Amino acid sequence: MLERNVLRLAAGSAVAGVALAATAAGLAGPWDGGQRTAERVRAAAPAATGGAHHGPGAAAPGPATAHGPVPGHGPAPGRGTSADRGSAGRAPVPAPSAPAVLAPLTAPARPQHAHAPALARTLDQLLRAPGLGAPRTASVVDAATGRQLYGHGEAAPMAPASTIKIATAVAALSALGPDHRLTTTVVAGRDGRTVTLVGGGDPTLDRARLKALAADTAKALRARGAAPTALTYDTSLYSGPVRHRIGVNDNIAPVTALMTDAGRLDGSAHGPAPRAADPAREAARAFAALLTAHGVKAPAPAPGRAPGRPVRLAATHSAPLSALVERTLTHSDNDLAEALARATARASRRPASFDGAGAAVRDRLGKLGVPLDGAAFRDGSGLDRRDRVSARLLTALLARAADPARPRLRPVLTGLPVGGFTGTLRERYTDGSPAAGLVRAKTGTLSGVNALAGTAVTRDGRLLAFAFLASNTPSPYEAQPALDALATALTAG
């Protein structure tokens, strides 16, 4: 009865919530100059991969090749889940930004926290929901001021599941910046006899871009008058184990520097899917067939290393990191999260392995001055149950991303799924929820682990950052509504 009464309290703001939700896609920001960061690359069309234990959602902008935007790309259909023109030798320039159309949220002149005691009482009651198991922790801060409004075991390290992707994204943006792109290249020795496809750690490489890469390679070989006698593929950008600790699993492909469509075998764009046992080999075989189709007889590909002082024949570039981060968070893309973690490792001069990436993420976050006591980063995706973060760490990262002095981190916020509208929250906060459009949050789900971390807009226009982490939960069908009720209560504050 107590829980039902509290839920009625959260739902009491329904009338105001519906009015706010009409402009929620803009209000729930902060947005980057009035737009989602990834919309700066609308010339490239949507695509999405990966994801674990989450629901369907809209796709995010896709990449470019040396030809420019790939034709024929469009939004991928939602799928339920379980849990620039540039030369081949240089990267494309960052895509331009459109004029601002919405004013970003700012702190009120006098932040008001008069409702904090009532909010604490409401959250205390909602945290007692049996569906949240035990232990359960919480942190709520005013994103504009950094002031903590509520805490419950907020410093305790907990299994974060996919909410750890917030940390992965912050670290990658800190290390590389929002305009960085992942580049897959084709190189040759000085005599042009051995051609090597070099993986650049880009799981968003798809068939259309691979086809364009093969066309550029064939053109370059003809210009050189060279006919390859050997075709190799190089995955040496990454080191350490290729398989994630969870083993063969539809939620993640072998983590390799070369793959197309994240190793998917069923044509899906995101969510669990059968994966190739050796994505690099399959990508190289497809590339060889495409070369042949473009008039270059290609021998069977074999693993190898790029020659010393190679000649670059062609290249294809991913979308900017800002868009990759948004895609990672919106669709809980496990393959892309691991790629971002390894890119962070390389930028930090650490091995691009699970261990090296975890150390690099921790190093980058440490430079931001966030609380790392007890934190453990065993992977970038959150599939490893040995991962540990605190609710306080997650809200600190979200507050850093909302800081006007740190614009390079803004995609962390703009990439969060919007309750009732996008990504892994598309099917939550529906049926007239007063929080629809006002809650943006990263979901986290493993067996017995459920989490939600993101932002909520209050009735008086304040932006709150929150993190709710629960362990030993009986079922996601019980835990998720309880987590949603907690976030909904914030919008009524």
Side-chain angles (χ1 to χ4, degrees):
M1 179 66 72
L2 178 61
E3 185 178 350
R4 287 199 298 269
N5 289 336
V6 175
L7 288 173
R8 290 194 192 100
L9 175 63
S13 61
V15 175
V18 168
L20 284 171
T23 55
L27 183 59
W31 286 41
D32 187 3
Q35 61 186 334
R36 237 177 103 104
T37 308
E39 289 178 0
R40 295 180 299 172
V41 289
R42 290 185 68 92
T49 65
H53 303 285
H54 298 291
T65 70
H67 289 293
V70 176
H73 280 206
R79 170 185 169 94
T81 71
S82 65
D84 35 16
R85 173 108 188 152
S87 72
R90 62 178 184 272
V93 297
S97 293
V101 295
L102 294 171
L105 290 175
T106 56
R110 287 185 174 183
Q112 300 295 317
H113 301 288
H115 302 302
L119 176 64
R121 288 192 294 271
T122 299
L123 296 182
D124 278 343
Q125 294 173 9
L126 290 171
L127 273 174
R128 298 187 189 118
L132 293 178
R136 71 288 298 270
T137 65
S139 175
V140 180
V141 305
D142 187 309
T145 66
R147 175 179 174 179
Q148 181 165 310
L149 305 181
Y150 180 79
H152 179 90
E154 66 274 12
M158 297 277 285
S162 281
T163 61
I164 203 172
K165 291 182 175 76
I166 294 173
T168 302
V170 169
L173 288 166
S174 297
L176 297 160
D179 297 317
H180 180 79
R181 299 179 189 242
L182 305 177
T183 302
T184 304
T185 60
V186 181
V187 302
R190 292 293 168 177
D191 60 2
R193 307 296 284 177
T194 298
V195 173
T196 304
L197 175 62
V198 184
D202 179 12
T204 70
L205 178 64
D206 59 14
R207 177 80 178 187
R209 286 173 60 207
L210 193 69
K211 183 177 180 179
L213 186 65
D216 286 349
T217 301
K219 182 179 179 180
L221 287 169
R222 284 193 293 267
R224 291 171 58 85
T229 58
L231 176 62
T232 62
Y233 57 97
D234 187 343
T235 62
S236 62
L237 189 73
Y238 290 176
S239 60
V242 172
R243 282 286 181 190
H244 190 284
R245 187 169 179 265
I246 62 174
V248 177
N249 191 289
D250 285 355
N251 285 303
I252 191 169
V255 184
T256 178
L258 177 64
M259 63 172 71
T260 55
D261 298 315
R264 294 171 175 275
L265 299 176
D266 65 354
S268 63
H270 53 85
R275 310 298 182 107
D278 189 342
R281 182 182 61 192
E282 297 306 317
R285 287 177 173 175
F287 181 72
L290 289 166
L291 275 181
T292 299
H294 283 91
V296 176
K297 186 176 181 180
R305 297 289 291 266
R309 302 179 63 188
V311 175
R312 180 181 284 197
L313 301 176
T316 180
H317 311 279
S318 74
L321 192 69
S322 57
L324 299 183
V325 162
E326 289 181 344
R327 175 169 166 172
T328 299
L329 297 174
T330 299
H331 297 289
S332 199
D333 191 319
N334 296 315
D335 305 284
L336 193 44
E338 297 300 345
L340 294 180
R342 279 158 178 73
T344 302
R346 288 186 52 79
S348 305
R349 300 184 182 278
R350 287 187 176 272
S353 62
F354 283 107
D355 290 343
V361 168
R362 186 182 183 92
D363 288 347
R364 291 291 171 174
L365 300 187
K367 293 177 181 178
L368 292 175
V370 294
L372 290 167
D373 293 347
F377 304 97
R378 303 293 188 176
D379 65 3
S381 60
L383 291 171
D384 195 318
R385 290 179 175 275
R386 299 173 300 167
D387 290 328
R388 291 292 182 272
V389 305
S390 66
R392 181 174 65 176
L393 171 58
L394 290 173
T395 53
L397 292 173
L398 292 164
R400 295 294 192 279
D403 185 350
R406 303 180 191 272
R408 68 192 292 153
L409 300 183
R410 203 72 74 245
V412 173
L413 298 189
T414 57
L416 294 172
V418 182
F421 289 91
T422 64
T424 58
L425 287 185
R426 186 176 183 177
E427 295 179 356
R428 291 164 66 171
Y429 302 95
T430 55
D431 299 326
S433 169
L438 301 182
V439 169
R440 303 187 70 143
K442 182 70 202 74
T443 54
T445 309
L446 295 172
S447 298
V449 176
N450 293 90
L452 193 66
T455 63
V457 179
T458 67
R459 285 187 297 187
D460 56 0
R462 289 179 298 140
L463 185 70
L464 307 184
F466 66 86
F468 304 119
L469 307 176
S471 291
N472 301 309
T473 56
S475 162
Y477 304 106
E478 297 178 61
Q480 289 177 0
L483 292 170
D484 292 347
L486 285 161
T488 298
L490 301 181
T491 68

